[in-house]
Amino acid sequence: MNRTLRVLTIFGTRPEAVKLFPVIHALADDPRFDSRVCVSAQHRAMLDQVLEIAGITPDHDLDLMRPDQSLDALTAALLVSLGRVMDEEKPDRVVVQGDTATAMCGALAAYYRKIPVAHVEAGLRSGDIYQPWPEEINRKIIGTMAALHLAPTETAAAALRAEKVDPACVHVTGNTVIDALHWVQDRIAAEPALAEGLAGLEQRFAGKRIIGVTSHRRENFGGGLEAIADAVRRIAAREDVAIIFPVHPNPNVRRVMDGALAGLPNVALIEPLDYPNFARLLGISELMLTDSGGVQEEAPALGKPVLVMRETTERPEGVIAGTAKLVGTDADTIVSETFRLLDDADAYAAMSRAHNPFGDGRSAARIRDLLAAPLKSS
Ligand code: UD1
Ligand code: UDP
């Protein structure tokens, strides 16, 4: 194919922005592509934090976030608005990432127009349609329509082949989150001031052992989040520990965490960190407690043990490599597994070897080259 390919990259949330900015950078530097960017802004402040550090100005910003948005209202708005952008841009390929409502609707709107879809981070499966909810189904829906399945690992590629996806359309690229992490580490090395946002807390908690916490999964709303908050409160009762917890702005998360944890001396409930400062938090934390997908991938690369506060994971590679452990949302288990890592040097050493099961930092270049090749359905 000799002519310039118009690629429309669509995303809407913080993790998609983190995992797609390396691809957008790669496309921008390559004369084979006319790269266009559309953000749904399903997230607002958290998306803008990533756009700013990555230096990306979208060609389209749909500004769709509403407070405490419902999945059906969001889905309806996304489908109509993204379709309009495609009618205007007439892209040769649409790129979506992962499993959000934006990614699912972007793929569906493209399919309605017979535009080939490239799915970055394809093939993740927990095997349970309610964990993570609704992400497991979003991924499966995208997987039924995509022309190019860009699997981060061999496990993910095998899951797609098991679902009878044409193996010629499945490629193992690594996860672009590792590209993003390397990129931000280089930026911080060149400009340390970018990651000094935690200096005040580092001073306040000097001498304590830092634990980083994040939590936002919809399937954990209600009892799961309350149990996580209870566990954090009990862990923070230890004198030698301090918790730094950037709280997701979803009101269902804020309500629980503010109610249970505000004002505790060893707990800092803070606003979401921009990516350089979150990388700093990963660096200074002895371990991470999280239900995040992305954090499960980043922490092993830095040799930080992760206790995953979910019942299942579609990212088994971290568990197999030994740096991640599923602890569910039972408060007693979260507390006892955290104390084990704090008090048993051998257990900690076994989980803190740096591994990169998710990628080598060169995923975006592979994805760029796969996007340039002719597709089966184009
Ligand atoms: C979404 C994704 C989830 C992803 C997560 C990453 C869906 C269905 N869910 O979940 O897969 O893991 O993002 O964080 O696509 N809000 C703000 N400011 C922001 C962002 C969110 O105030 O910058 C609040 C708003 O009240 C918003 C709510 O959070 O309505 C929920 O946002 P939404 O994108 O629907 O869901 P998340 O729980 O963030
Ligand atoms: N992250 C961030 N600031 C924070 C918390 C997380 O920049 O305060 C980054 C983190 O490094 C990872 C991504 O956001 O790259 C994960 O997003 P999130 O946990 O919201 O979504 P998930 O990965 O679970 O879909």
Side-chain angles (χ1 to χ4, degrees), residues 289-300:
L289 293 179
T290 193
D291 61 13
S292 162
V295 177
Q296 283 179 68
E297 295 155 341
E298 292 161 334

Side-chain angles (χ1 to χ4, degrees), residues 74-103:
L74 175 64
T75 301
L78 281 165
L79 192 57
V80 173
S81 313
L82 291 171
R84 281 199 198 112
V85 172
M86 287 177 207
D87 290 340
E88 185 184 329
E89 291 288 352
K90 302 198 169 23
D92 301 297
R93 310 220 183 315
V94 161
V95 176
V96 297
Q97 195 282 338
D99 50 24
T100 67
T102 296

Side-chain angles (χ1 to χ4, degrees), residues 13 15 43 77 109 113 128-129 133 138 165 190 198 202 212 250 268 294 296 299:
T13 66
H43 283 174
R113 289 159 181 77
D128 180 338
I129 63 167
W133 173 74
N138 285 344
V165 173
L198 293 172
E202 287 179 51
N250 194 314
Q296 283 179 68

Side-chain angles (χ1 to χ4, degrees), residues 15-28:
E16 295 167 277
V18 166
K19 290 171 172 178
L20 283 173
F21 81 68
V23 176
I24 293 167
H25 287 173
L27 294 175

Side-chain angles (χ1 to χ4, degrees), residues 40-44 61-71 73-74 77 81 218 249-252:
S40 68
Q42 171 183 337
H43 283 174
R44 188 69 273 174
D61 186 331
L62 304 176
D63 201 22
L64 288 180
M65 195 200 87
R66 299 293 174 266
D68 203 10
Q69 57 210 359
S70 70
L71 289 178
L74 175 64
S81 313
R218 280 179 189 258
N250 194 314
N252 300 288

Side-chain angles (χ1 to χ4, degrees), residues 209-223:
R209 304 165 77 181
I210 305 287
I211 300 178
V213 181
T214 79
S215 177
H216 70 84
R217 299 242 74 86
R218 280 179 189 258
E219 68 272 16
N220 286 344
F221 286 1

Side-chain angles (χ1 to χ4, degrees), residues 219-239:
E219 68 272 16
N220 286 344
F221 286 1
L225 286 183
E226 277 158 25
I228 289 170
D230 182 38
V232 169
R233 194 182 47 71
R234 287 160 57 187
I235 294 163
R238 277 176 67 135
E239 280 299 310

